[in-house]
Amino acid sequence: MSKNKKSNVDQLLAEMLANHADKSYRNLVKEVMKKHIKLTEEGNSPHSHYELGRIYHLGKDGIHQNLEKAYEHYQIASDHGHPVAPYYLCQMIGSHEERRDADKIRFISQSHHLIDIKVRLLIKAAACGAYCKAEQKYSYYLASSKLWQDGINRYKNWLEEQIRSEEDQAKLGRWNHYLGFIAYKKGTVSGLTESRQYYLQAYRYFSQGGKFGCAASYYYLGYWLYRLKIGYDGHDYKEKAEKYLYKAAQHGHIMSKLLIIKDYRHNYSTELIVDYLTASSSFGFSIVMYYLAILYFRGVTDIILRNYPLALDYLKFALVNSDIETFPFPTSCMYYSLGLMYHYGLGIHHHYNQASYYYYLALQKNNDAYSHYAAWQIGKLIQKRRLSSCDDIQVAIGCYRRARLINQFYGYGCYRLAKLILKSPQTLSLTEDISSTYYFKLAMKCSSLSPYYKGLMYEYGLGVNVDLTQARTFYTSAIEKDGLFCDIYTAHLADKARQKMDLIQIGITYRGILALSY
């Protein structure tokens, strides 16, 4: 397809879906906001307070900006241990001279008092871990501002005084941890000789912090000093990193739980990973919500049974939660998954227009797998006349061809074009006058095409001879792809493959005209 034709298809899709997709997302934000409000009314949910703070702070998608409400929700979230809320409180505090900045909601006239408050808030957020950009902001101030350097030194002196007289172990752990963080960051901006001294000092403080039960100290030992090899050159850094991250996770550190889930999950039981995910959901990170959506979509343990409506709720939280900006994760995958659930009525009634809107939002992320999956799913909805907004078969063909343009997704586009020609022979003139058999054979050769579709081709003789043994082989392969954190699309195809295997097993096969519905 020429670039011009591809642009025309994109334009048609934009005209057809864009306005409705925008409204759909605004409605999604409002729906999730209501859920957060309910959670704050039921108890002190720190993450819900934080998310409400962000929605009011940004004036997000149809919600009017309200800085007073934003500050109030951030403060409650911070008081209940949310790791990111102090960072935004820090941003919303300024001097009277800074009133031109619309974000500032609390004003303090004395500059050194202002800096002291901001230093404490920023260290409180940054020393929790890489939950947001607090550490980068701290590094910038440390390197460039004498006012901040003085404020950090005043706080360091105060912490040292507190340690000498404090008896409460939790506070001792926290104070030692903050001193370790200050020393560690000082090391990152110092020369080689000085930095080693600061890193040793940080190690001692972090070790003391861990001894007194501060989980974040174990995190810094595991992640920064060993995993990133900052101040440590030993060959056993991987083992030490995992050891300390696991200790941090066991002491309740959410970021460490995320890292164990993300990078070390193969070393731990499914039950432990599920336990970590459930605990991590208290801070509601998008990646955690998406993982939980997958687990509830699949049903993996006696604790997490298959629950489509709950999977749908977690997907919605994942897409609206503000930390998606901090933890980059393909939103196209989430939009595509949400579209899939509306498309096939998983946890909700079939809603084809709604499905197409979410597919369209996935489509906007132009160059990843799910944007191409979304293209041919929209084409499929148009081809089957499921959409009230469009029944133009040429737009459907354009969607299939769009997927065909990229080698990685060639098989999907070919498969859908072949099905289109097979079901509607009159469209042959619109599809380069090439037979469905030709496109089926091209699809079969494509390694990226899901084995589920190859199983269908062999079961029903689509471009190949009927061969139930081969069909079973491909269905088995589709089922084997259903891993713990595979995406919802792969899990959905694995479910369909299991159903096909059951039917083949009892000798039931649907061929001919009925095959066209798959």
Side-chain angles (χ1 to χ4, degrees):
M1 183 194 295
S2 70
K3 184 177 180 181
N4 187 46
K5 283 184 179 178
K6 177 177 181 293
S7 299
N8 288 340
V9 170
D10 287 350
Q11 185 177 346
L12 282 168
L13 287 173
E15 292 170 358
M16 182 176 79
L17 298 171
N19 185 46
H20 296 291
D22 290 342
K23 288 179 181 176
S24 185
Y25 185 71
R26 285 198 295 273
N27 290 336
L28 177 63
V29 172
K30 290 177 182 176
E31 181 185 345
V32 170
M33 186 178 179
K34 287 179 182 177
K35 290 179 186 292
H36 282 309
I37 290 171
K38 184 179 179 183
L39 286 168
T40 61
E41 290 170 349
E42 291 173 352
N44 287 315
S45 169
H47 177 71
S48 288
H49 279 294
Y50 166 72
E51 285 295 339
L52 288 170
R54 289 299 285 154
I55 290 170
Y56 284 123
H57 192 171
L58 300 174
K60 196 171 181 179
D61 294 287
I63 308 299
H64 293 300
Q65 186 183 57
N66 188 323
L67 297 183
E68 291 286 352
K69 282 189 175 181
Y71 191 91
E72 178 185 340
H73 283 294
Y74 284 149
Q75 187 67 65
I76 295 171
S78 177
D79 290 345
H80 287 85
H82 195 280
V84 184
Y87 173 62
Y88 288 107
L89 284 174
C90 178
Q91 288 190 337
M92 297 185 80
I93 295 173
S95 67
H96 287 295
E97 290 74 21
E98 294 179 287
R99 292 197 73 140
R100 64 185 180 276
D101 187 338
D103 275 356
K104 301 298 186 292
I105 195 66
R106 290 287 180 270
F107 303 103
I108 298 165
S109 57
Q110 301 268 344
S111 61
H112 70 278
H113 289 158
L114 168 69
I115 292 296
D116 286 348
I117 292 170
K118 288 171 79 78
V119 161
R120 294 187 181 209
L121 284 169
L122 198 56
I123 287 178
K124 184 178 179 180
C128 286
Y131 293 101
C132 61
K133 297 178 181 178
E135 188 172 339
Q136 295 96 304
K137 185 74 75 173
Y138 179 92
S139 297
Y140 171 77
Y141 288 143
L142 179 63
S144 62
S145 170
K146 181 68 165 59
L147 274 175
W148 270 80
Q149 290 165 8
D150 291 343
I152 290 166
N153 283 330
R154 284 194 294 273
Y155 189 40
K156 175 177 173 290
N157 293 336
W158 182 86
L159 288 169
E160 288 172 341
E161 288 177 13
Q162 298 305 303
I163 284 174
R164 283 193 287 269
S165 59
E166 186 59 64
E167 294 183 0
D168 184 281
Q169 290 211 350
K171 288 182 179 179
L172 281 169
R174 190 160 63 251
W175 301 154
N176 273 285
H177 176 66
Y178 288 163
L179 285 168
F181 174 81
I182 290 168
Y184 157 70
K185 292 307 294 182
K186 191 78 172 174
T188 63
V189 298
S190 301
L192 185 61
T193 304
E194 283 182 301
S195 68
R196 286 176 179 168
Q197 295 173 348
Y198 284 120
Y199 290 144
L200 283 171
Q201 193 178 77
Y203 178 83
R204 287 194 293 271
Y205 278 127
F206 286 146
S207 296
Q208 278 294 103
K211 176 183 172 183
F212 289 117
C214 181
S217 287
Y218 289 128
Y219 161 79
Y220 267 91
L221 286 169
Y223 189 73
W224 295 109
L225 295 186
Y226 290 118
R227 178 172 161 158
L228 298 185
K229 299 178 72 174
I230 296 175
Y232 183 77
D233 297 320
H235 294 296
D236 59 346
Y237 67 95
K238 289 183 180 177
E239 292 80 5
K240 283 184 175 289
E242 184 180 350
K243 169 189 167 186
Y244 280 109
L245 287 173
Y246 179 70
K247 287 182 80 169
Q250 290 296 89
H251 280 75
H253 190 259
I254 300 298
M255 180 61 70
S256 297
K257 291 179 190 286
L258 288 179
L259 289 169
I260 292 288
I261 293 164
K262 187 170 174 290
D263 299 327
Y264 301 100
R265 62 175 176 264
H266 301 298
N267 298 341
Y268 300 92
S269 68
T270 299
E271 288 72 22
L272 182 82
I273 297 303
V274 168
D275 178 62
Y276 279 6
L277 269 176
T278 305
S280 301
S281 68
S282 62
F283 288 155
F285 302 109
S286 292
I287 190 169
V288 173
M289 293 302 184
Y290 178 64
Y291 284 154
L292 284 168
I294 293 170
L295 295 185
Y296 277 106
F297 186 91
R298 295 179 64 240
V300 293
T301 66
D302 292 338
I303 300 171
I304 293 189
L305 302 174
R306 173 167 286 185
N307 187 325
Y308 287 153
L310 197 52
L312 193 70
D313 278 348
Y314 276 121
L315 265 181
K316 291 176 179 178
F317 276 123
L319 277 164
V320 174
N321 286 357
S322 58
D323 65 281
I324 197 86
E325 302 159 12
T326 310
F327 300 104
F329 196 77
T331 52
S332 58
C333 175
M334 299 181 194
Y335 284 129
Y336 180 78
S337 299
L338 202 51
L340 197 76
M341 296 190 78
Y342 279 103
H343 186 164
Y344 293 101
L346 304 170
I348 198 164
H349 293 301
H350 291 279
H351 196 314
Y352 300 119
N353 285 330
Q354 194 83 326
S356 71
Y357 304 151
Y358 288 118
Y359 286 148
Y360 177 77
L361 291 171
L363 191 66
Q364 301 312 292
K365 314 297 180 181
N366 279 320
N367 290 317
D368 74 0
Y370 298 97
S371 68
H372 294 284
Y373 296 162
W376 67 266
Q377 290 282 23
I378 292 173
K380 184 177 178 180
L381 287 168
I382 294 169
Q383 178 196 334
K384 291 179 175 289
R385 300 185 184 279
R386 303 293 194 196
L387 301 184
S388 59
S389 51
C390 180
D391 62 358
D392 187 341
I393 199 67
Q394 291 198 54
V395 178
I397 292 169
C399 289
Y400 299 153
R401 283 176 170 165
R402 178 191 176 109
R404 272 187 58 213
L405 285 174
I406 311 299
N407 287 338
Q408 186 181 353
F409 313 105
Y410 194 78
Y412 293 95
C414 289
Y415 179 81
R416 290 308 316 169
L417 281 169
K419 291 294 294 294
L420 173 64
I421 297 166
L422 190 62
K423 186 174 177 68
S424 307
Q426 70 273 19
T427 61
L428 195 60
S429 61
L430 303 175
T431 54
E432 302 164 356
D433 289 321
I434 298 173
S435 70
S436 62
T437 300
Y438 175 79
Y439 280 126
F440 276 131
K441 285 182 177 178
L442 282 180
M444 183 61 76
K445 290 178 182 178
C446 184
S447 61
S448 66
L449 182 64
S450 169
Y452 169 72
Y453 294 107
K454 294 182 179 181
L456 288 178
M457 289 161 71
Y458 272 108
E459 183 178 354
Y460 299 112
L462 302 175
V464 294
N465 293 326
V466 171
D467 187 332
L468 295 186
T469 300
Q470 281 281 38
R472 280 193 293 268
T473 299
F474 281 116
Y475 289 145
T476 300
S477 180
I479 293 167
E480 287 172 349
K481 289 180 177 291
D482 188 16
L484 184 62
F485 289 125
C486 71
D487 59 64
I488 282 175
Y489 175 58
T490 302
H492 175 59
L493 292 184
D495 279 345
K496 295 181 78 170
R498 289 186 188 95
Q499 293 168 15
K500 301 300 292 180
M501 288 284 279
D502 289 343
L503 291 173
I504 290 175
Q505 200 71 28
I506 60 175
I508 300 174
T509 57
Y510 297 89
R511 299 191 182 91
I513 196 80
L514 291 178
L516 300 177
S517 63
Y518 291 99

